[in-house]
Amino acid sequence: MDGGDDTEVAAAPPPPLEWKFSQVFGERTAGEEVQEVDIISAIEFDRTGDHLATGDRGGRVVLFERTDTKDNGGSRRDLERMDYALSRHPEFRYKTEFQSHEPEFDYLKSLEIEEKINKIRWCQTANGALFLLSTNDKTIKFWKVQEKKVKKISEMNIDPSKAVGNGGVPSSSVSSSSRSHLANGGYPDRSCIDFPFPPGGIPSLRLPVVTSHETSLLARCRRVYAHAHDYHINSISNNSDGETFISADDLRINLWNLEISNQSFNIVDVKPANMEDLTEVITSAEFHPTHCNMLAYSSSKGSIRLIDLRQSALCDTHTKLFEEQEAPGSRSFFTEIIASISDIKFGREGRYILSRDYMTLKLWDINMDSGPVSTFQVHEYLRPKLCDLYENDSIFDKFECCLSGDGQRVATGSYSNLFRVFGCADGSTESTTLEASKNPMRRPVPTPSRPSRSLGSITRVVRRGGESPGVDANGNSFDFTTKLLHLAWHPTENSIACAAANSLYMYYA
């Protein structure tokens, strides 16, 4: 027996997932023209994954509800016996929609304010009602969506042949002599009123039966948080305390209480005294998932700052700064543009931060600020085309990113309605390209030969995913007008929802 070898054997990385099409909402027919107002601009699962919300450029919020979990009742033992958890096919149905924002005009600044929904965030549920925040460029709204029972009269219980007026008796049953009134509407002699009561009473005077068979969903705006941002709002994020949230624009981050709509606290202000000295702007902000005093925000220079609300009321100084040093001699005209971070997300446990810039995904360990632990090339084949992308403004597209609930994988979108899934576990080489269509595996990508960097190793970063070609199997160029900007990963399962123009596609593995 050899007791001297304490070497730990690393667990094998999970195998690559095989993605399958689940369903699509709002699929376009061939040649159908997409209306600008119908293009999806925000997408978000709630904490349980049983509800999904999308927002569009027309200011509408659409809610979807999961149905496959409700249709399969039974005890936990029954579900385990059926191996239900492994074979379950996630299915959602349309639940309701409501108009969240309308186009406005700021007369003081002569500025049109679009109704486009920039972000949606779910809040804690209460008493069976759903709560969520939605925002356009200037105004945040707090919505409550609740089922209301519709009461209807099922039986009138009134004989229409005998009913007169509002349940009164025929005027002929009152003698003409009784029509002489005293002051204040009294009768001189009540005995002269002739009411012919039948022996069994009047059958037409019975109460109707009211029942509540149907339920309807009612969306009500509970609060409006307005007039707190001079620049366009790019982020909102709920705090884990369930009471507060933040909103961020280019230069400031404000802290709100959900119950107070007329007051907010400015916690980050990067606006210089002279605007000519401005070198970077805030691009995204996110609360830590478990520590209510911590949040992170990214900048247009490619850096991420972690701040602690316990340090001071105004958090202009950060506790940690995460940024990658550029290689010597690599700087070009496009360096700062493509370095700008468009989205950041915390992992579920809060140890890792995922960031998306124009060319790459980066995974950061909040305990290590020397550089990212992994870098994933999303569409490296675009690098020679940066000049063209700058000319048509595509280089300023803001792609979102997401992590799986178990932290094993990350995903983000690209052009031609493609999105990419990377494995970030120790030793994983998973790198999959999928298309937002009913056949997601139509454009497979060869598996990279180089392994990924272990999250526990701090020796060097291995860049992966650069093998993606710039043309498909038929030699067709990628379409830069169709871009997959918005996607979300189910919080507990390997299921992804992504928005391609006005269509919502869902996939599972």
Side-chain angles (χ1 to χ4, degrees), residues 31 39 48 83 96 108 144 178 183 195 233 245 260 270 287 296-297 307 338 347 376 387 430 442 477 481 506:
I39 295 178
T48 64
D83 201 18
T96 188
L108 294 177
K144 177 181 181 181
S178 67
F195 286 108
I233 299 172
F245 71 94
I260 303 171
V270 299
F287 257 122
Y297 69 91
I307 62 176
I338 63 175
F376 308 96
C387 187
E430 183 174 357
R442 189 161 63 183
S477 302
T481 62
M506 310 196 71

Side-chain angles (χ1 to χ4, degrees), residues 24 83 145 164 173 183 297 343 448:
V24 58
D83 201 18
V145 182
V164 177
S173 63
Y297 69 91
D343 190 28

Side-chain angles (χ1 to χ4, degrees), residues 105-111:
F105 188 81
D106 188 338
Y107 292 96
L108 294 177
K109 297 181 179 179
S110 296
L111 180 69

Side-chain angles (χ1 to χ4, degrees), residues 162 169 195-205:
K162 296 181 180 180
V169 295
F195 286 108
F197 285 97
I202 301 176
S204 62
L205 294 178

